[in-house]
Amino acid sequence: MQALVSAFEATRDFLELGGPVLQLIGWTILFMWILILERLIYFRTGLKELIQESFEYWGRRTERGSWNAQQIREAVISRVSMSANKGIPMIQTLVALCPLLGLMGTVTGMITVFDVMAISGSGNPRSMAAGVSRATIPTMAG
């Protein structure tokens, strides 16, 4: 139980160190992994059933050589393909979004550094450290 509490506290401290952009990156990554896991589960269960149903449907047809039959075959294949690719563009978008959010974290962290430099001057490295961590941690996470 103590290990779980210390892991939770370490995660909380890490999120606070990175600022609000790191929290946004964390939610984005969580949503992306939920979509990935949904697709993996579907590939192992639902897609196999759909492919089996499609084979059975095509196997029950007596006439397979005409143009009409070929169009029906392509429609069945297209239905399976569309079902397999559902949700993939959203995952691809989230994958492309994460580095951009990391860059946004860099910019917001550097703005914090420049604010500290404007207020206290450039000679106080301790006060700039918070802004530097807010710049580097979201970049790494993104």
Side-chain angles (χ1 to χ4, degrees):
M1 184 67 181
Q2 182 64 25
L4 185 64
V5 170
S6 91
F8 175 74
E9 289 175 356
T11 304
R12 186 193 64 213
D13 292 342
F14 181 72
L15 287 173
E16 287 176 5
L17 198 60
V21 175
L22 185 61
Q23 293 175 2
L24 180 63
I25 291 170
W27 286 111
T28 303
I29 291 172
L30 177 68
F31 182 61
M32 180 181 64
W33 276 107
I34 288 171
L35 291 175
I36 290 171
L37 290 174
E38 183 273 330
R39 286 284 90 192
L40 287 174
I41 292 169
Y42 179 72
F43 287 155
R44 294 200 178 262
T45 58
L47 186 62
K48 288 182 180 181
E49 293 174 10
L50 184 61
I51 291 171
Q52 185 64 33
E53 288 173 8
S54 299
F55 275 123
E56 290 172 2
Y57 174 74
W58 184 252
R60 286 192 306 261
R61 289 191 56 85
T62 56
E63 186 261 323
R64 296 182 187 158
S66 70
W67 178 85
N68 190 27
Q70 293 303 316
Q71 295 303 312
I72 291 172
R73 179 180 175 266
E74 286 192 26
V76 169
I77 292 171
S78 181
R79 188 180 86 191
V80 171
S81 176
M82 286 176 52
S83 177
N85 293 327
K86 182 179 168 187
I88 300 295
M90 177 63 84
I91 294 170
Q92 290 173 334
T93 302
L94 292 174
V95 167
L97 182 66
C98 284
L100 297 175
L101 290 174
L103 287 174
M104 187 173 80
T106 302
V107 171
T108 57
M110 293 310 295
I111 288 172
T112 305
V113 170
F114 293 142
D115 282 344
V116 168
M117 288 174 64
I119 292 171
S120 66
S122 61
N124 190 354
R126 183 177 285 266
S127 62
M128 290 189 300
V132 171
S133 72
R134 285 197 178 201
T136 56
I137 290 176
T139 305
M140 174 201 58

